[in-house]
Every structure is written in structure tokens, then in C-alpha cells.
Amino acid sequence: MFDPSGPVHVVRAPGRVNLIGEHIDYCGLPVFPMALQRGIRMTFQPRPDPEARFINRDPRFAPVTFTVAESIRPAPAGDWGNYVRAAAQAVAQRFPNLRGVNALVETDLPIAAGLSSSSALVVATALAILHANSVTLPALELIELLSRGERYVGTAGGAMDQAIIIGAEAGCAIRIDFHPLRLTPTVVPAGWQFLVAWSLVHAEKSGADRQAYNERTKQCEEAHRLVAARLGRQEDPSYPGLLAAASVEELLDVARATLSGVLLRRFRHVVTEATRVRLAEMAMARGKEGDLTAFGQLLDASHASLRDDYEVSHAELDRLVELAREAGAAGARLTGAGFGGSIVALVRAERAAEVMAALRERFYAPRGVAGDVGQHLFVAESAAGAGVLDSEAV
Ligand code: NG1
């Protein structure tokens, strides 16, 4: 697919693991992820015309061809090519008359595992098309553009994934604030290791899971509206505004008097998770022995809240979390949207091998995954954000 007379370029976009702050980015509340060393690698060449052609090294994903334009017709929901189209449409709405690319997509990220391979694909595509047209955008603008742009696939998502994939710094976790968007790094202390383990259950972003995700964004909005009205703050459009006006305890008192059932549980998850993010960031910044324990306890509390109040866990995620703790992790929780996908566990570096061995024996082996489980279970090494690498010969 590449013309041997011209150079090819390579863009790399990392996956991400969210350490804490789950299902609150779309409420405008800060989250605390880091980028992974694993990601999408896209090799591309500019074309002279607006056509775009993407081939995936993984044969399960059929080639995608379309014209880069302000309005691109989507393929049916679930088609991988919609992430590529989402990015192309977003950049074409910002810059007219773009030329397209020929591109080859490869990844070492597990797919549909809650590690944001889809947003990595969106970011990689956008960077490839921008580079092919010699245009650039400041990082914050690109994050805003692509987080809106990814809604093309039908998920009413927040901006966490695009923000960390574009704005990550190696060796750091990043607190992401929204409205206005701001990225604040904290160095991951030496001796702290985050393990990622996939539950072997796909977290599909199309179909029922997408519906369940979008339903939760609406429930959070509704819960916020009712609590804000009760507090006489109808004009306050956001969760950060509520949390600035009252303590979590006060908000929960008001919520108990105002909401019930599902809405009360969703609200409780959102405001308590926001507190956990703040405490976790402080614990990591201090980075002492007791802080690792404290961070682990926050992970455990986050998991319980996602399981019981937010109802996005899965029996296999609960099992992985339990096994990781039993094997010596300081704490563990599901990461990403849930409904399957992966867990993240915090371990002391010297115990990482032991915890991984326990997960291999007690989780993967009984489920028929023998031998090398490196694709499903690995140490997350915090990586830098996405970028175009040097040109290469074909
Ligand atoms: P994943 O894990 O990639 O489905 C989704 C959203 C995030 C965030 C998390 C839950 C997108 C692109 N990603 O992530 O913004 O809301 O769920 O914390 O919609």
C-alpha cells in the first residue's frame, strides 16, 4: 500500500490505565490515569487526494476506505473503522480540504480490555492526517476536538482518554481537570508498581455496554439536577460547583433526602470517587510506605463503589481483584468503563512477581490460559503521550 519512492511516517499513541477516578470525567470531575508503554502504532504515507485507506495488521479487522470530509457516513455500530472515521471527520471540520493517508495499524494492546485502544486509534489517526497535511494543533485544543469527535461512534464519553493519550508524561500519573482542561503530573514513586490484568471478558463499546454507559451519564445528570435544585443552586451546571459549595457529607445528607434507589447510588459513587481521587493524588505525591497502603485502600474503596453503587463490575473482575489482594497487592479495582475489561492493582515492586504468579495460577490457568499470559497480565510502565516518530524508509 506504500509508495516506495516516498518516505513513510510512524505515529505512536499509547493505551492508558486509569488509576482512580472512574466514571466521573463526564461529570466534569478530575481523574488520575497514566499512559501505557503499549499502544497503537500507525505507519502512514500522505496521499495526493482526500481518500483515506486503513489496513489493520489484525485480520479480524477489514480494510477501511473513505473520503476525508466534514461529514463522513459511519459504518454500522461496532465497526473498528468508525474510530478512524471519527478522527478524520473531526480534523476535517477544523481544517478544510485535507489530503488523506494510506495507513497500516498495529497494536500490542489487548482490544476491548478497558485500556482505551479505541481512543488511541482515534488520536493516532488524527495525528497522522494532521502530519500528512503539515498542520498542527496545540495539545489542549486537540484533546477537546477529539473528545467531541469520538462521540461519532455513539458513546457520550468524557475527555479522559484523549487527554491522557495526548498529554501523558513518562514516569508520571496525571490529574486531569476539565472545564477548563488542565493536566497536572505526579511522579510515580520508585517501588510502586501498577499491574494490569485483563479479565478475559471483552468490554465492548457497542451494543448493550454502550447503552449502559450512556444511561449512567444521564442518571448522573439527573441526580445532579435534583440535588442542586434542593440546595437552591439550579443555576449551578456542574458537579465541581456542588463539591466546592458543600462537603461530601453534606451532599450525601441532601442526596439521601432527595434521591432514592439507582439515582442515590450513582450520586454517592460520583462524589465519593471525587474525594478518593484527591486523596490518591496526595498519597502518591508523598510516596512514603504508609502512602502506598493508603493508595491501595482507595483503590479497594473505588472498586466497591463501582461494583455496588455504580453497578459496572463483572464477576470475573471481582474475582481478579480478590485474587490480587489475597496475593499481596496493596489494593485493586476495575479500570476503565467496566462491564468486563481489566483491573489495576498496586503492588510493592518486590512483590510484583509473586502477585503475577498467583494470578497466572489461580485466575488464568483454571480458565484455560496456560503458558505465556504476557498479553493479558503485565506491569504498567508509565509512558509519554502520542506523537509522530521520525520518518522511515519503506
Ligand atoms: P473506556 O474504558 O475506554 O470505555 C470510557 C470513557 C472514558 C471514561 C471511562 C470510565 C470514552 C472514549 N471513554 O473509557 O471517558 O468515562 O469510560 O471512567 O468514552
Side-chain angles (χ1 to χ4, degrees), residues 16 18 21-26 114 116 119 150 155 157-162 205 213 336-337:
R16 65 96 181 96
N18 188 20
E22 214 62 84
H23 281 283
I24 60 171
D25 61 342
Y26 49 76
S116 217
S119 297
E150 193 172 325
T155 310
M160 163 169 70
D161 298 348
Q162 300 80 9
K205 284 268 251 340
Y213 181 98

Side-chain angles (χ1 to χ4, degrees), residues 53-56 61-65 80 85:
R53 183 168 167 73
F54 292 82
I55 290 181
N56 201 311
F61 302 109
V64 175
T65 312
W80 79 283
R85 291 183 182 92

Side-chain angles (χ1 to χ4, degrees), residues 188-194 280 283-289 291-293 295 346-349:
V188 179
W192 290 32
Q193 276 189 347
F194 290 98
M284 184 180 277
R286 286 189 304 263
K288 300 276 184 300
E289 179 59 26
D291 298 313
L292 179 136
T293 307
F295 198 111
L346 172 60
V347 295
R348 286 179 183 74

Side-chain angles (χ1 to χ4, degrees), residues 299-348:
L299 295 181
D300 290 349
S302 172
H303 186 77
S305 180
L306 288 160
R307 183 192 58 211
D308 303 335
D309 278 349
Y310 222 66
E311 298 170 286
V312 291
S313 193
H314 183 285
E316 293 296 80
L317 290 168
D318 296 343
R319 182 71 185 135
L320 263 177
V321 160
E322 180 181 48
L323 289 173
R325 284 188 205 136
E326 280 175 20
R333 64 176 204 89
L334 73 86
T335 184
F339 315 108
S342 302
I343 66 151
V344 59
L346 172 60
V347 295
R348 286 179 183 74

